[in-house]
Amino acid sequence: MGGDKDQADDKGKAASPTPFRYPEVLAIADAKKNFSSIVRESSEALKLYMVGNALRREAPRSVILGEQALRVLLRGVQGHPVWEEDAEHHLWSVEVPEFEAVGQGETKEEAVKDLLWAVVELAEDYIEDIAFYFKIGWQDKLPFALAAFLAADDPERLRRLLGV
Amino acid sequence: MPYAFTFGDIARVCHALGMLREGKGQVWKGLGHDGVFRRLSLHSHGAGRAVAPGTARAFARQLGFVSLEAMYQFLKELR
């Protein structure tokens, strides 16, 4: 009897449309109830959680991911600054095309400081209003916005990200 | 021909394009009469200060102008 059951199970597996197991989706109510442990496990044990509406399965879901894992995901994000000197007015411009951010100053260092300011401001605005930036076609700049947002409190890290 | 802009000029262009400065920051955003959403991060340095050519070109591109000349003509019509 047991053998028949195993065979039936194997047949069931073979008929499955995909060999992958779908991730378990945590219901919002359960996530709410266990939020502190979810935050601890995602940040410290690098566990990823997917949270969704249990009643509306087609509704968009959310992913809870620790900062450490997010930093790894964003490792490849890198700016390539373009410099230009206006000798007549003694002004330097620096633009990071990947994020369409620009800074200027009377020296290169002043231009970099201006650029850092612009990038942080823009990243904060992007994170606060992602829907707007998606509307203007900036979806591909989300990784840069996230990387800049995470580096905003560390000028050296931000400089490395921007390549200045 | 070189085109000279001040930060005040750029703010004026932004305003004419239906953009508003958001909150405490210096990010201008908005929907223009042409139906195009725009945004610009503009650290003004003072309205009368000159915008370096490289900076002006970047601003023009980000605002959707095909060239510095096009932005200059747009500004001239506002005056």
Side-chain angles (χ1 to χ4, degrees), chain A residues 84 86 89 91-95 97 99-106 110 114 117-119 121-122 124-125 129 132-133 135-136 138, chain B residues 7 22 24-27 29-31 36-45 49-59 61-62:
Chain A
E84 186 175 318
D86 173 19
H89 298 98
L91 287 171
W92 281 96
S93 288
V94 57
E95 186 188 11
F99 202 40
E100 293 192 20
V102 61
Q104 79 167 50
E106 288 173 9
E110 267 186 32
D114 194 41
W117 170 88
V119 166
E121 186 104 331
L122 193 50
E124 283 178 355
D125 194 69
D129 197 1
F132 172 82
Y133 285 90
K135 215 183 290 181
I136 62 169
W138 270 43
Chain B
F7 281 92
E22 293 271 320
K24 62 179 168 58
Q26 307 270 348
V27 177
K29 291 194 292 195
L31 175 65
V36 176
F37 279 103
R38 295 179 176 87
R39 65 90 242 166
L40 187 77
S41 179
L42 181 68
H43 188 191
S44 96
H45 301 260
R49 293 283 295 275
V51 179
T55 311
R57 259 195 304 282
F59 286 161
R61 199 172 52 248
Q62 290 168 28

Short mmCIF file of all heavy atoms in Angstrom, two decimals, chain A residues 84 86 89 91-95 97 99-106 110 114 117-119 121-122 124-125 129 132-133 135-136 138, chain B residues 7 22 24-27 29-31 36-45 49-59 61-62:
data_model
loop_
_atom_site.label_atom_id
_atom_site.label_comp_id
_atom_site.label_asym_id
_atom_site.label_seq_id
_atom_site.Cartn_x
_atom_site.Cartn_y
_atom_site.Cartn_z
N GLU A 84 34.34 68.71 -16.36
CA GLU A 84 34.54 69.75 -17.38
C GLU A 84 34.98 71.03 -16.68
O GLU A 84 34.40 71.43 -15.66
CB GLU A 84 33.23 69.98 -18.15
CG GLU A 84 33.44 70.95 -19.31
CD GLU A 84 32.20 71.12 -20.17
OE1 GLU A 84 31.52 70.11 -20.46
OE2 GLU A 84 31.92 72.27 -20.55
N ASP A 86 35.55 75.14 -16.91
CA ASP A 86 35.26 76.37 -17.63
C ASP A 86 36.37 77.35 -17.23
O ASP A 86 36.28 78.00 -16.18
CB ASP A 86 33.87 76.89 -17.21
CG ASP A 86 33.57 78.27 -17.79
OD1 ASP A 86 34.23 78.65 -18.77
OD2 ASP A 86 32.68 78.95 -17.26
N HIS A 89 35.54 81.20 -16.52
CA HIS A 89 34.91 81.59 -15.25
C HIS A 89 35.51 80.87 -14.04
O HIS A 89 35.01 80.99 -12.94
CB HIS A 89 33.40 81.32 -15.31
CG HIS A 89 32.69 82.10 -16.36
ND1 HIS A 89 32.39 81.57 -17.59
CD2 HIS A 89 32.26 83.40 -16.37
CE1 HIS A 89 31.77 82.50 -18.32
NE2 HIS A 89 31.69 83.61 -17.61
N LEU A 91 35.49 77.70 -13.23
CA LEU A 91 34.48 76.81 -12.63
C LEU A 91 34.69 75.37 -13.10
O LEU A 91 35.00 75.13 -14.28
CB LEU A 91 33.06 77.25 -13.02
CG LEU A 91 32.52 78.52 -12.36
CD1 LEU A 91 31.21 78.93 -13.02
CD2 LEU A 91 32.31 78.31 -10.86
N TRP A 92 34.50 74.45 -12.19
CA TRP A 92 34.53 73.02 -12.52
C TRP A 92 33.11 72.46 -12.44
O TRP A 92 32.37 72.80 -11.52
CB TRP A 92 35.40 72.26 -11.52
CG TRP A 92 36.86 72.39 -11.79
CD1 TRP A 92 37.73 73.28 -11.21
CD2 TRP A 92 37.64 71.61 -12.69
NE1 TRP A 92 38.99 73.11 -11.71
CE2 TRP A 92 38.97 72.08 -12.63
CE3 TRP A 92 37.36 70.57 -13.58
CZ2 TRP A 92 40.00 71.54 -13.39
CZ3 TRP A 92 38.38 70.03 -14.34
CH2 TRP A 92 39.68 70.51 -14.24
N SER A 93 32.79 71.60 -13.37
CA SER A 93 31.52 70.86 -13.33
C SER A 93 31.84 69.39 -13.28
O SER A 93 32.78 68.94 -13.94
CB SER A 93 30.70 71.07 -14.59
OG SER A 93 30.18 72.34 -14.65
N VAL A 94 31.05 68.67 -12.53
CA VAL A 94 31.19 67.21 -12.53
C VAL A 94 29.80 66.60 -12.57
O VAL A 94 28.92 66.99 -11.80
CB VAL A 94 32.01 66.69 -11.32
CG1 VAL A 94 31.42 67.13 -9.99
CG2 VAL A 94 32.16 65.18 -11.38
N GLU A 95 29.60 65.68 -13.51
CA GLU A 95 28.30 65.03 -13.64
C GLU A 95 28.47 63.52 -13.52
O GLU A 95 29.44 62.95 -14.05
CB GLU A 95 27.65 65.35 -14.99
CG GLU A 95 26.22 64.80 -15.06
CD GLU A 95 25.58 64.91 -16.44
OE1 GLU A 95 26.29 65.21 -17.41
OE2 GLU A 95 24.37 64.66 -16.53
N PRO A 97 26.54 60.62 -14.82
CA PRO A 97 25.40 60.36 -15.72
C PRO A 97 24.49 59.23 -15.24
O PRO A 97 23.29 59.25 -15.52
CB PRO A 97 26.08 59.95 -17.04
CG PRO A 97 27.50 60.38 -16.91
CD PRO A 97 27.83 60.39 -15.47
N PHE A 99 23.22 58.79 -12.52
CA PHE A 99 22.17 59.27 -11.64
C PHE A 99 21.71 60.67 -12.06
O PHE A 99 20.91 61.28 -11.35
CB PHE A 99 22.69 59.27 -10.20
CG PHE A 99 21.60 59.23 -9.15
CD1 PHE A 99 20.49 58.43 -9.31
CD2 PHE A 99 21.71 59.99 -8.01
CE1 PHE A 99 19.49 58.40 -8.35
CE2 PHE A 99 20.72 59.96 -7.03
CZ PHE A 99 19.61 59.17 -7.20
N GLU A 100 22.23 61.14 -13.18
CA GLU A 100 21.91 62.47 -13.69
C GLU A 100 22.06 63.53 -12.59
O GLU A 100 21.20 64.39 -12.41
CB GLU A 100 20.50 62.50 -14.29
CG GLU A 100 20.39 61.67 -15.54
CD GLU A 100 19.11 61.89 -16.32
OE1 GLU A 100 18.48 62.94 -16.13
OE2 GLU A 100 18.75 60.99 -17.09
N ALA A 101 23.17 63.43 -11.86
CA ALA A 101 23.43 64.41 -10.80
C ALA A 101 24.65 65.23 -11.20
O ALA A 101 25.59 64.71 -11.81
CB ALA A 101 23.70 63.70 -9.48
N VAL A 102 24.60 66.53 -10.86
CA VAL A 102 25.68 67.41 -11.27
C VAL A 102 26.09 68.32 -10.12
O VAL A 102 25.27 68.69 -9.29
CB VAL A 102 25.25 68.21 -12.53
CG1 VAL A 102 24.05 69.06 -12.26
CG2 VAL A 102 26.37 69.04 -13.09
N GLY A 103 27.40 68.62 -10.06
CA GLY A 103 27.89 69.55 -9.05
C GLY A 103 28.85 70.52 -9.72
O GLY A 103 29.45 70.21 -10.74
N GLN A 104 28.98 71.71 -9.13
CA GLN A 104 29.97 72.65 -9.68
C GLN A 104 30.61 73.44 -8.55
O GLN A 104 30.05 73.56 -7.45
CB GLN A 104 29.34 73.58 -10.71
CG GLN A 104 28.55 74.75 -10.15
CD GLN A 104 28.24 75.79 -11.22
OE1 GLN A 104 27.76 75.46 -12.29
NE2 GLN A 104 28.51 77.06 -10.93
N GLY A 105 31.81 73.98 -8.82
CA GLY A 105 32.51 74.78 -7.83
C GLY A 105 33.73 75.42 -8.45
O GLY A 105 34.09 75.12 -9.59
N GLU A 106 34.35 76.31 -7.65
CA GLU A 106 35.53 77.00 -8.17
C GLU A 106 36.75 76.09 -8.17
O GLU A 106 37.73 76.37 -8.84
CB GLU A 106 35.77 78.27 -7.36
CG GLU A 106 34.70 79.32 -7.68
CD GLU A 106 34.77 80.54 -6.80
OE1 GLU A 106 35.76 80.68 -6.04
OE2 GLU A 106 33.83 81.35 -6.86
N GLU A 110 35.39 71.58 -4.41
CA GLU A 110 34.09 72.26 -4.21
C GLU A 110 33.02 71.61 -5.08
O GLU A 110 31.88 71.44 -4.64
CB GLU A 110 34.20 73.73 -4.59
CG GLU A 110 34.52 74.64 -3.44
CD GLU A 110 34.48 76.11 -3.86
OE1 GLU A 110 33.68 76.48 -4.75
OE2 GLU A 110 35.26 76.87 -3.29
N ASP A 114 29.57 69.74 -3.83
CA ASP A 114 28.27 70.12 -4.39
C ASP A 114 27.56 68.89 -4.98
O ASP A 114 26.36 68.71 -4.80
CB ASP A 114 28.52 71.17 -5.49
CG ASP A 114 27.24 71.88 -5.90
OD1 ASP A 114 26.44 72.21 -5.02
OD2 ASP A 114 27.06 72.12 -7.11
N TRP A 117 26.19 66.68 -2.23
CA TRP A 117 24.94 67.25 -1.72
C TRP A 117 23.79 66.90 -2.67
O TRP A 117 22.72 66.45 -2.23
CB TRP A 117 25.11 68.77 -1.59
CG TRP A 117 23.80 69.42 -1.30
CD1 TRP A 117 23.23 69.64 -0.09
CD2 TRP A 117 22.85 69.87 -2.29
NE1 TRP A 117 21.99 70.21 -0.25
CE2 TRP A 117 21.75 70.35 -1.57
CE3 TRP A 117 22.85 69.90 -3.67
CZ2 TRP A 117 20.62 70.88 -2.23
CZ3 TRP A 117 21.74 70.42 -4.33
CH2 TRP A 117 20.64 70.91 -3.59
N ALA A 118 24.03 67.11 -3.97
CA ALA A 118 22.96 66.89 -4.96
C ALA A 118 22.53 65.42 -4.96
O ALA A 118 21.34 65.12 -5.04
CB ALA A 118 23.44 67.31 -6.34
N VAL A 119 23.49 64.52 -4.87
CA VAL A 119 23.18 63.09 -4.93
C VAL A 119 22.37 62.66 -3.71
O VAL A 119 21.37 61.93 -3.84
CB VAL A 119 24.48 62.26 -5.05
CG1 VAL A 119 24.22 60.79 -4.77
CG2 VAL A 119 25.07 62.42 -6.45
N GLU A 121 20.51 64.53 -1.76
CA GLU A 121 19.18 65.15 -1.85
C GLU A 121 18.28 64.39 -2.83
O GLU A 121 17.12 64.09 -2.55
CB GLU A 121 19.36 66.59 -2.34
CG GLU A 121 18.10 67.37 -2.33
CD GLU A 121 18.04 68.35 -1.18
OE1 GLU A 121 18.64 68.10 -0.13
OE2 GLU A 121 17.38 69.35 -1.35
N LEU A 122 18.86 64.05 -3.97
CA LEU A 122 18.11 63.36 -5.01
C LEU A 122 17.73 61.94 -4.57
O LEU A 122 16.61 61.48 -4.79
CB LEU A 122 18.96 63.31 -6.28
CG LEU A 122 18.30 62.90 -7.59
CD1 LEU A 122 17.04 63.71 -7.83
CD2 LEU A 122 19.28 63.12 -8.75
N GLU A 124 17.35 60.86 -1.48
CA GLU A 124 16.31 60.94 -0.44
C GLU A 124 14.95 61.19 -1.09
O GLU A 124 13.94 60.58 -0.72
CB GLU A 124 16.62 62.06 0.55
CG GLU A 124 17.70 61.66 1.55
CD GLU A 124 18.06 62.78 2.50
OE1 GLU A 124 17.55 63.91 2.34
OE2 GLU A 124 18.89 62.53 3.39
N ASP A 125 14.94 62.08 -2.07
CA ASP A 125 13.68 62.39 -2.74
C ASP A 125 13.16 61.17 -3.51
O ASP A 125 11.97 60.88 -3.50
CB ASP A 125 13.89 63.57 -3.70
CG ASP A 125 12.56 64.14 -4.15
OD1 ASP A 125 11.87 64.75 -3.31
OD2 ASP A 125 12.18 63.94 -5.31
N ASP A 129 9.65 59.11 -2.87
CA ASP A 129 8.63 59.25 -3.91
C ASP A 129 8.96 58.36 -5.11
O ASP A 129 9.03 58.83 -6.26
CB ASP A 129 8.57 60.73 -4.33
CG ASP A 129 7.29 61.08 -5.09
OD1 ASP A 129 6.45 60.18 -5.27
OD2 ASP A 129 7.16 62.24 -5.51
N PHE A 132 6.83 58.52 -8.33
CA PHE A 132 7.08 59.62 -9.27
C PHE A 132 8.24 59.26 -10.20
O PHE A 132 8.16 59.45 -11.42
CB PHE A 132 7.40 60.92 -8.51
CG PHE A 132 7.85 62.04 -9.42
CD1 PHE A 132 6.92 62.81 -10.11
CD2 PHE A 132 9.20 62.28 -9.63
CE1 PHE A 132 7.34 63.82 -10.97
CE2 PHE A 132 9.62 63.30 -10.49
CZ PHE A 132 8.69 64.06 -11.16
N TYR A 133 9.33 58.77 -9.63
CA TYR A 133 10.52 58.47 -10.44
C TYR A 133 10.26 57.32 -11.42
O TYR A 133 10.84 57.30 -12.50
CB TYR A 133 11.73 58.22 -9.54
CG TYR A 133 12.25 59.52 -8.96
CD1 TYR A 133 11.76 60.00 -7.75
CD2 TYR A 133 13.14 60.30 -9.66
CE1 TYR A 133 12.18 61.22 -7.25
CE2 TYR A 133 13.58 61.53 -9.16
CZ TYR A 133 13.09 61.98 -7.95
OH TYR A 133 13.51 63.19 -7.47
N LYS A 135 7.38 56.96 -12.78
CA LYS A 135 6.53 57.60 -13.78
C LYS A 135 7.38 58.33 -14.83
O LYS A 135 7.01 58.45 -15.98
CB LYS A 135 5.60 58.60 -13.07
CG LYS A 135 4.23 58.71 -13.71
CD LYS A 135 3.38 59.75 -13.03
CE LYS A 135 2.94 59.38 -11.63
NZ LYS A 135 2.08 60.41 -11.02
N ILE A 136 8.55 58.86 -14.40
CA ILE A 136 9.39 59.59 -15.37
C ILE A 136 10.43 58.67 -16.01
O ILE A 136 11.38 59.13 -16.65
CB ILE A 136 10.07 60.84 -14.75
CG1 ILE A 136 11.03 60.47 -13.60
CG2 ILE A 136 9.03 61.83 -14.27
CD1 ILE A 136 11.89 61.63 -13.14
N TRP A 138 12.53 56.43 -14.54
CA TRP A 138 13.80 56.27 -13.82
C TRP A 138 13.90 54.93 -13.10
O TRP A 138 14.67 54.80 -12.14
CB TRP A 138 13.94 57.40 -12.81
CG TRP A 138 14.62 58.61 -13.34
CD1 TRP A 138 14.43 59.19 -14.55
CD2 TRP A 138 15.61 59.40 -12.67
NE1 TRP A 138 15.23 60.29 -14.67
CE2 TRP A 138 15.96 60.45 -13.54
CE3 TRP A 138 16.21 59.33 -11.42
CZ2 TRP A 138 16.90 61.41 -13.21
CZ3 TRP A 138 17.15 60.29 -11.08
CH2 TRP A 138 17.49 61.32 -11.97
N PHE B 7 21.84 80.71 -11.92
CA PHE B 7 20.97 79.74 -11.24
C PHE B 7 19.53 80.26 -11.18
O PHE B 7 18.58 79.49 -11.20
CB PHE B 7 21.52 79.41 -9.85
CG PHE B 7 22.64 78.43 -9.91
CD1 PHE B 7 23.97 78.85 -10.00
CD2 PHE B 7 22.38 77.07 -9.92
CE1 PHE B 7 25.00 77.94 -10.10
CE2 PHE B 7 23.41 76.15 -10.03
CZ PHE B 7 24.72 76.59 -10.11
N GLU B 22 10.28 70.93 -4.14
CA GLU B 22 9.62 70.05 -3.17
C GLU B 22 10.18 70.24 -1.77
O GLU B 22 11.39 70.19 -1.56
CB GLU B 22 9.83 68.60 -3.58
CG GLU B 22 9.12 68.24 -4.87
CD GLU B 22 7.69 67.76 -4.63
OE1 GLU B 22 7.48 67.01 -3.66
OE2 GLU B 22 6.82 68.12 -5.44
N LYS B 24 11.65 70.86 1.86
CA LYS B 24 12.78 71.66 2.33
C LYS B 24 13.94 71.60 1.34
O LYS B 24 14.87 72.38 1.40
CB LYS B 24 13.24 71.16 3.71
CG LYS B 24 13.72 69.71 3.68
CD LYS B 24 14.19 69.27 5.05
CE LYS B 24 14.42 67.78 5.18
NZ LYS B 24 15.35 67.18 4.28
N GLY B 25 13.87 70.66 0.45
CA GLY B 25 15.02 70.41 -0.42
C GLY B 25 15.09 71.29 -1.65
O GLY B 25 14.36 72.27 -1.78
N GLN B 26 16.00 70.96 -2.53
CA GLN B 26 16.22 71.75 -3.74
C GLN B 26 15.90 70.92 -4.98
O GLN B 26 16.46 71.17 -6.04
CB GLN B 26 17.68 72.19 -3.79
CG GLN B 26 18.16 72.89 -2.55
CD GLN B 26 17.95 74.40 -2.59
OE1 GLN B 26 17.65 74.96 -3.63
NE2 GLN B 26 18.11 75.05 -1.46
N VAL B 27 15.07 69.91 -4.82
CA VAL B 27 14.69 69.10 -5.97
C VAL B 27 13.40 69.69 -6.55
O VAL B 27 12.41 69.83 -5.85
CB VAL B 27 14.48 67.62 -5.58
CG1 VAL B 27 14.01 66.81 -6.79
CG2 VAL B 27 15.77 67.02 -5.02
N LYS B 29 10.32 69.39 -9.15
CA LYS B 29 9.60 68.32 -9.85
C LYS B 29 8.27 68.85 -10.36
O LYS B 29 7.72 69.77 -9.78
CB LYS B 29 9.28 67.15 -8.89
CG LYS B 29 10.48 66.39 -8.43
CD LYS B 29 10.11 65.08 -7.77
CE LYS B 29 9.41 65.25 -6.46
NZ LYS B 29 9.36 64.01 -5.68
N GLY B 30 7.78 68.21 -11.41
CA GLY B 30 6.45 68.60 -11.86
C GLY B 30 6.08 68.09 -13.23
O GLY B 30 6.90 67.53 -13.95
N LEU B 31 4.81 68.32 -13.55
CA LEU B 31 4.25 67.91 -14.83
C LEU B 31 4.08 69.14 -15.70
O LEU B 31 3.38 70.09 -15.33
CB LEU B 31 2.88 67.23 -14.60
CG LEU B 31 2.07 66.83 -15.82
CD1 LEU B 31 2.78 65.74 -16.62
CD2 LEU B 31 0.69 66.33 -15.41
N VAL B 36 4.83 66.14 -19.91
CA VAL B 36 6.07 65.44 -19.54
C VAL B 36 6.41 65.72 -18.06
O VAL B 36 6.41 66.88 -17.63
CB VAL B 36 7.25 65.90 -20.44
CG1 VAL B 36 8.56 65.26 -19.99
CG2 VAL B 36 6.95 65.56 -21.89
N PHE B 37 6.66 64.65 -17.32
CA PHE B 37 7.12 64.80 -15.94
C PHE B 37 8.61 65.09 -15.96
O PHE B 37 9.37 64.45 -16.70
CB PHE B 37 6.88 63.51 -15.14
CG PHE B 37 5.48 63.35 -14.66
CD1 PHE B 37 4.61 62.50 -15.30
CD2 PHE B 37 5.03 64.05 -13.55
CE1 PHE B 37 3.31 62.34 -14.86
CE2 PHE B 37 3.73 63.90 -13.09
CZ PHE B 37 2.86 63.05 -13.75
N ARG B 38 9.04 66.05 -15.15
CA ARG B 38 10.46 66.39 -15.09
C ARG B 38 10.91 66.50 -13.64
O ARG B 38 10.09 66.73 -12.75
CB ARG B 38 10.73 67.73 -15.77
CG ARG B 38 10.46 67.75 -17.24
CD ARG B 38 10.74 69.15 -17.79
NE ARG B 38 10.57 69.16 -19.24
CZ ARG B 38 9.40 69.37 -19.85
NH1 ARG B 38 8.32 69.55 -19.13
NH2 ARG B 38 9.32 69.36 -21.15
N ARG B 39 12.22 66.39 -13.45
CA ARG B 39 12.78 66.65 -12.11
C ARG B 39 14.19 67.19 -12.30
O ARG B 39 14.86 66.89 -13.30
CB ARG B 39 12.76 65.42 -11.23
CG ARG B 39 13.60 64.25 -11.64
CD ARG B 39 14.97 64.28 -11.09
NE ARG B 39 15.95 64.35 -12.17
CZ ARG B 39 17.21 64.64 -12.01
NH1 ARG B 39 17.66 64.94 -10.82
NH2 ARG B 39 18.06 64.68 -13.01
N LEU B 40 14.61 68.03 -11.38
CA LEU B 40 15.96 68.59 -11.45
C LEU B 40 16.45 68.87 -10.04
O LEU B 40 15.73 69.44 -9.22
CB LEU B 40 15.96 69.91 -12.25
CG LEU B 40 17.35 70.47 -12.52
CD1 LEU B 40 18.03 69.69 -13.65
CD2 LEU B 40 17.27 71.93 -12.92
N SER B 41 17.65 68.44 -9.76
CA SER B 41 18.27 68.73 -8.47
C SER B 41 19.10 70.00 -8.65
O SER B 41 20.10 69.99 -9.34
CB SER B 41 19.16 67.55 -8.07
OG SER B 41 19.78 67.82 -6.84
N LEU B 42 18.63 71.10 -8.07
CA LEU B 42 19.23 72.41 -8.34
C LEU B 42 19.70 73.07 -7.04
O LEU B 42 18.92 73.65 -6.30
CB LEU B 42 18.20 73.32 -9.05
CG LEU B 42 18.65 74.71 -9.42
CD1 LEU B 42 19.71 74.67 -10.51
CD2 LEU B 42 17.46 75.54 -9.91
N HIS B 43 21.00 72.96 -6.78
CA HIS B 43 21.60 73.63 -5.63
C HIS B 43 21.98 75.01 -6.14
O HIS B 43 22.95 75.16 -6.88
CB HIS B 43 22.85 72.84 -5.19
CG HIS B 43 23.42 73.34 -3.92
ND1 HIS B 43 24.65 72.94 -3.45
CD2 HIS B 43 22.94 74.20 -3.00
CE1 HIS B 43 24.90 73.53 -2.30
NE2 HIS B 43 23.87 74.29 -2.00
N SER B 44 21.22 76.04 -5.75
CA SER B 44 21.27 77.29 -6.51
C SER B 44 22.56 78.10 -6.37
O SER B 44 22.89 78.85 -7.25
CB SER B 44 20.06 78.14 -6.17
OG SER B 44 20.37 79.08 -5.18
N HIS B 45 23.29 78.01 -5.29
CA HIS B 45 24.51 78.82 -5.08
C HIS B 45 24.19 80.32 -5.07
O HIS B 45 25.09 81.14 -5.09
CB HIS B 45 25.56 78.58 -6.18
CG HIS B 45 26.02 77.16 -6.32
ND1 HIS B 45 27.21 76.71 -5.80
CD2 HIS B 45 25.46 76.10 -6.91
CE1 HIS B 45 27.36 75.43 -6.08
NE2 HIS B 45 26.30 75.03 -6.74
N ARG B 49 24.38 83.76 -9.40
CA ARG B 49 25.65 83.07 -9.70
C ARG B 49 25.60 82.38 -11.05
O ARG B 49 24.56 81.85 -11.46
CB ARG B 49 25.96 82.02 -8.62
CG ARG B 49 26.26 82.62 -7.26
CD ARG B 49 27.66 83.20 -7.17
NE ARG B 49 28.71 82.19 -7.30
CZ ARG B 49 29.16 81.47 -6.29
NH1 ARG B 49 28.63 81.59 -5.08
NH2 ARG B 49 30.15 80.60 -6.48
N ALA B 50 26.75 82.39 -11.72
CA ALA B 50 26.83 81.78 -13.06
C ALA B 50 26.79 80.26 -12.98
O ALA B 50 27.35 79.66 -12.05
CB ALA B 50 28.12 82.22 -13.72
N VAL B 51 26.12 79.67 -13.95
CA VAL B 51 26.09 78.21 -14.08
C VAL B 51 27.20 77.83 -15.06
O VAL B 51 27.26 78.39 -16.17
CB VAL B 51 24.73 77.72 -14.62
CG1 VAL B 51 24.71 76.21 -14.77
CG2 VAL B 51 23.60 78.17 -13.70
N ALA B 52 28.08 76.94 -14.66
CA ALA B 52 29.17 76.51 -15.53
C ALA B 52 28.58 75.82 -16.77
O ALA B 52 27.52 75.18 -16.68
CB ALA B 52 30.09 75.57 -14.78
N PRO B 53 29.25 75.93 -17.91
CA PRO B 53 28.70 75.33 -19.15
C PRO B 53 28.38 73.84 -19.03
O PRO B 53 27.33 73.40 -19.51
CB PRO B 53 29.82 75.57 -20.17
CG PRO B 53 30.58 76.74 -19.65
CD PRO B 53 30.51 76.66 -18.16
N GLY B 54 29.25 73.09 -18.36
CA GLY B 54 29.00 71.65 -18.20
C GLY B 54 27.74 71.40 -17.38
O GLY B 54 26.93 70.52 -17.69
N THR B 55 27.57 72.22 -16.34
CA THR B 55 26.39 72.10 -15.48
C THR B 55 25.14 72.49 -16.28
O THR B 55 24.12 71.80 -16.21
CB THR B 55 26.53 73.03 -14.25
OG1 THR B 55 27.81 72.82 -13.66
CG2 THR B 55 25.46 72.79 -13.24
N ALA B 56 25.25 73.58 -17.04
CA ALA B 56 24.09 74.05 -17.82
C ALA B 56 23.67 73.00 -18.85
O ALA B 56 22.48 72.76 -19.04
CB ALA B 56 24.45 75.37 -18.52
N ARG B 57 24.66 72.36 -19.48
CA ARG B 57 24.33 71.32 -20.47
C ARG B 57 23.59 70.16 -19.80
O ARG B 57 22.63 69.62 -20.34
CB ARG B 57 25.60 70.81 -21.15
CG ARG B 57 25.79 71.41 -22.54
CD ARG B 57 26.82 70.63 -23.33
NE ARG B 57 28.09 70.53 -22.65
CZ ARG B 57 28.99 71.51 -22.59
NH1 ARG B 57 28.75 72.65 -23.20
NH2 ARG B 57 30.11 71.36 -21.94
N ALA B 58 24.07 69.79 -18.60
CA ALA B 58 23.42 68.69 -17.87
C ALA B 58 21.99 69.08 -17.50
O ALA B 58 21.05 68.30 -17.66
CB ALA B 58 24.22 68.35 -16.62
N PHE B 59 21.81 70.33 -17.03
CA PHE B 59 20.47 70.80 -16.67
C PHE B 59 19.56 70.78 -17.90
O PHE B 59 18.41 70.35 -17.82
CB PHE B 59 20.53 72.23 -16.11
CG PHE B 59 21.09 72.33 -14.71
CD1 PHE B 59 21.57 73.55 -14.24
CD2 PHE B 59 21.14 71.23 -13.88
CE1 PHE B 59 22.08 73.67 -12.95
CE2 PHE B 59 21.66 71.34 -12.59
CZ PHE B 59 22.12 72.57 -12.13
N ARG B 61 19.75 69.00 -20.60
CA ARG B 61 19.41 67.61 -20.98
C ARG B 61 18.35 67.04 -20.03
O ARG B 61 17.38 66.43 -20.45
CB ARG B 61 20.69 66.77 -20.94
CG ARG B 61 20.61 65.48 -21.70
CD ARG B 61 21.95 64.78 -21.80
NE ARG B 61 22.62 64.59 -20.53
CZ ARG B 61 23.75 65.20 -20.18
NH1 ARG B 61 24.34 66.05 -21.00
NH2 ARG B 61 24.31 64.98 -19.00
N GLN B 62 18.57 67.28 -18.72
CA GLN B 62 17.64 66.73 -17.72
C GLN B 62 16.24 67.35 -17.83
O GLN B 62 15.25 66.72 -17.48
CB GLN B 62 18.20 66.93 -16.31
CG GLN B 62 19.41 66.05 -16.03
CD GLN B 62 20.13 66.46 -14.76
OE1 GLN B 62 19.53 66.98 -13.82
NE2 GLN B 62 21.43 66.22 -14.70
#
